[in-house]
Amino acid sequence: MAPKKSLAWDHFVDKGENKAECKMCKVIISYKSGVSNLTKHVQRKHISVNLVRREQQVDRQEEQEVQAHTSQTAQITAVNTAIQTIASNTIRSNPNPSSITAFLRRDCQKIKKQIDDHLMNLFIWDLQPFSIVEDKGFRELINFAFPNYTIPSRKYFANNLLPGLYEEIKINTKTALNEDAKSVCLTTDMWTSRNNDSYLAVTGHYVDKNFILQSVLLECKVFESSHTALHIAQELRNVAQDWNILDKVLLVVSDNGANIKNAILQLEWRHFGCYAHTLNLAVQKVLSHSNVNSIIGKVKAIVSYFKRSNLAWNKLKKYQEQANKVVKRPIQDVATRWNSTFYMIERFVELKDEIKCALSNLDTGNLINLTTYEWDICQSLVVVLQPCEEVTREMSGQKYVSGSSVIPLTIGLTNALKEIASQTYRQENNIDIFPDEVEMCRQDLLSEIGTRFSNLEQSRTYTVAMFLDPRYKLYFENENVADSTKKYIVGLVTAMINENEKNQSSASTSNISDSQGKKSNSLLWKHYNKQMHNVRPAGTANSRAIIETQKYLDDTVLSPDTNPLEWWRINQQIYPNLAKLAKIKLNAMASSVPCERLFSVAGNILTERRSRLGSRKLEQLLFLQQNKK
């Protein structure tokens, strides 16, 4: 048997009979007494993997101090007792000494591999630096918990286990994507790190065979070329080719940058500007060009005062405690964070009484508190901006269907902004007439939304997705759009039925050609062949498509909080063709938030303690953090 202590076994599974399977590329390699074939395969096919020894390269004096501190008599006694117990039990079952030694060696090797894997999760999921394995406290903990475990060096994790695990997960993810995905929706965005490196991220979203929406990170790598549409298009094409999805791209969602939009157009892919980003631009434009801008500036100044002054914060905290409220801090808005202005004003209004009391008892200098009328404006702004916040939050999901909600939520948002100004709504919610400044904001916001989202019902991708979502179906404001979408769906289903019949006919002809050849000339089957020659299934493909589509429309409409993909999983036998269509169309995303979240994770990885982390390792950590189950 090959020695299991070799570094190559970190990347191979022993299949027996002197054969091993590579975890990364699944290739079967033969070996005999040694593992030179396995090592050569890693060095030749997986260049990024550097087979680093697991022993720690640390200062001898420091290691002696750690070992002296952790080598306690109780631990040694407990370990020896455990080993003796295992050995004695093994002797009873198998008195062969060589078998006992092999058993203990295999058991120790298995434990080391399991601990290595769990330590890797610290770097992948908890974003810990590789240097943690050299920290004194961490080493004391591991030596106390696992006295017989040798902590590998950080280079072993970074240069050996990380690249190997990356290649293994990438191959598994690519296999699942190619087998399950009938169409893929891409989201893409660009980001500059604290090291001034530009990154391009691409995520893919598809519905798998079990009707579960899957989101995978396809690439997040340093973009060294200039950010022109041509270079971006080349990189996006390379990603699609690498993942074998060039002909499966349903839609690409990104921000409204001209370079990214033109790059997608060059590839002749359908493009949609991130809904959440577009809505945020509309809100920011309305607030910045209205009379409430100066009031928002005052709110920012007051919030900043409580943020930077410890005395002011303690006063505000004291008044909240006296009012028996949960202590909350004021929120400062950030230009790059969606809805942050709303959250700032909402928290400011929530702490209205406490803020007024605190400011009246503090020497605020030139800082001026808000007037009663300005407080009314802030309270009214919260009411007007609340629907926008709800829509942005709903559109920012990546674990549930969002593209099919683009048109319905836009309709709902428009009607909500109209409804909050009605007398009936104000009476029911005890709201006074909006101040003129807020009413102007409401009207401008309606105008901006109408302008920026005017062509949604012309998007075939989103009208089809909405139709196939059992929560909405024909929830269109324009009846002509509803009729044309229904006809388009019927046409797609008709084509699917014709294709299925063609494939079934070819398979049937191939399977029974021999038996038909014998029976076609038989006198016994002459009458049957004559009568059944022109028999076809009842109804045309188009008529069956119409029946299936209408039956779906006549079925119960789901509530908005229901999972449409789960409904299709349950009802796929009732609507077989529409279910296949739903699997292809319902993966359309509404926003590029998956990439935004990815860059937030990247920012947490590249901390001051990890500022020297190479771009390649950052790419691998991000990939594993997003795709490792």
Side-chain angles (χ1 to χ4, degrees), residues 133-287:
V133 298
E134 297 177 353
D135 292 346
K136 184 176 180 180
F138 182 80
R139 293 175 60 80
E140 286 182 356
L141 172 64
I142 296 299
N143 286 327
F144 179 82
F146 309 102
N148 288 342
Y149 175 72
T150 302
I151 305 177
S153 66
R154 64 176 181 174
K155 290 185 178 180
Y156 175 79
F157 286 108
N159 299 336
N160 189 2
L161 292 191
L162 176 63
L165 184 60
Y166 166 77
E167 291 200 36
E168 179 184 350
I169 297 299
K170 183 174 181 178
I171 289 175
N172 294 339
T173 305
K174 187 181 293 187
T175 301
L177 178 65
N178 291 331
E179 290 178 354
D180 289 350
K182 303 302 180 183
S183 71
V184 181
C185 176
L186 302 181
T187 67
T188 183
D189 203 353
M190 304 192 75
W191 171 71
T192 301
S193 71
R194 62 186 297 158
N195 296 337
N196 207 31
D197 292 325
S198 293
Y199 286 83
L200 174 70
V202 183
T203 63
H205 310 269
Y206 66 96
V207 179
D208 67 11
K209 58 186 177 182
N210 296 317
F211 284 90
I212 298 174
L213 183 63
Q214 300 288 351
S215 297
V216 297
L217 172 60
L218 304 182
E219 179 181 271
C220 182
K221 65 182 298 185
V222 171
F223 194 79
E224 298 178 346
S225 305
S226 57
H227 296 181
T228 62
L230 178 61
H231 292 150
I232 295 174
Q234 289 174 345
E235 187 60 35
L236 291 176
R237 183 185 290 107
N238 291 339
V239 173
Q241 289 176 341
D242 180 38
W243 287 81
N244 300 321
I245 58 171
L246 199 57
D247 58 343
K248 294 182 178 181
V249 177
L250 172 73
L251 181 73
V252 183
V253 183
S254 72
D255 61 20
N256 296 310
N259 53 349
I260 293 184
K261 290 172 63 176
N262 291 333
I264 295 168
L265 292 176
Q266 288 181 21
L267 295 171
E268 298 182 350
W269 291 341
R270 293 180 179 177
H271 173 263
F272 181 72
C274 172
Y275 190 100
H277 184 247
T278 304
L279 180 58
N280 183 65
L281 290 176
V283 173
Q284 292 295 336
K285 181 179 179 180
V286 168
L287 294 180

Side-chain angles (χ1 to χ4, degrees), residues 362-584:
L362 290 166
D363 182 12
T364 59
N366 296 326
L367 196 66
I368 302 175
N369 197 357
L370 270 62
T371 65
T372 302
Y373 183 70
E374 289 173 336
W375 278 107
D376 291 341
I377 288 178
C378 289
Q379 290 175 319
S380 300
L381 273 178
V382 172
V383 177
V384 171
L385 297 179
Q386 180 70 48
C388 297
E389 189 276 336
E390 291 182 20
V391 171
T392 303
R393 184 158 30 88
E394 183 69 24
M395 290 300 193
S396 299
Q398 70 181 80
K399 294 183 179 180
Y400 54 83
V401 173
S402 61
S404 60
S405 300
V406 165
I407 296 174
L409 286 184
T410 304
I411 296 173
L413 176 59
T414 303
N415 284 278
L417 290 173
K418 293 177 180 178
E419 179 68 19
I420 59 178
S422 66
Q423 184 176 358
T424 304
Y425 179 86
R426 291 201 303 268
Q427 289 176 350
E428 291 176 350
N429 294 275
N430 194 26
I431 299 175
D432 295 331
I433 297 176
F434 291 147
D436 292 340
E437 292 85 351
V438 177
E439 176 60 23
M440 185 64 68
C441 282
R442 187 190 67 83
Q443 294 178 9
D444 290 346
L445 192 54
L446 274 171
S447 177
E448 282 291 322
I449 292 171
T451 301
R452 293 175 183 267
F453 300 115
S454 59
N455 298 321
L456 286 181
E457 291 191 346
Q458 297 178 16
S459 169
R460 186 63 77 184
T461 301
Y462 287 110
T463 54
V464 169
M466 175 181 165
F467 184 96
L468 292 171
D469 192 324
R471 299 173 297 176
Y472 308 123
K473 298 184 180 180
L474 290 177
Y475 179 53
F476 294 96
E477 287 191 312
N478 190 324
E479 292 185 2
N480 293 330
V481 175
D483 292 338
S484 65
T485 303
K486 180 180 177 181
K487 291 179 181 178
Y488 183 75
I489 293 290
V490 170
L492 292 177
V493 175
T494 301
M496 293 178 68
I497 293 175
N498 286 328
E499 184 67 22
N500 290 337
E501 289 182 347
K502 180 180 178 180
N503 294 336
Q504 291 175 359
S505 177
S506 299
S508 176
T509 302
S510 175
N511 291 334
I512 64 175
S513 58
D514 293 340
S515 60
Q516 273 193 340
K518 296 178 181 178
K519 295 181 180 178
S520 60
N521 298 322
S522 171
L523 183 63
L524 177 64
W525 293 98
K526 182 177 181 180
H527 183 269
Y528 170 85
N529 292 330
K530 181 178 179 181
Q531 293 293 111
M532 304 299 291
H533 180 68
N534 294 318
V535 173
R536 295 288 184 272
T540 63
N542 183 255
S543 64
R544 280 179 282 163
I546 293 174
I547 292 172
E548 183 175 340
T549 304
Q550 190 58 49
K551 184 180 179 181
Y552 162 72
L553 292 175
D554 293 338
D555 207 336
T556 305
V557 176
L558 303 184
S559 61
D561 57 351
T562 308
N563 183 357
L565 291 178
E566 178 64 17
W567 186 90
W568 277 115
R569 186 188 66 80
I570 296 172
N571 293 276
Q572 59 181 314
Q573 301 300 327
I574 302 176
Y575 310 105
N577 297 295
L578 286 175
K580 293 179 182 177
L581 199 59
K583 192 180 295 185
I584 298 173

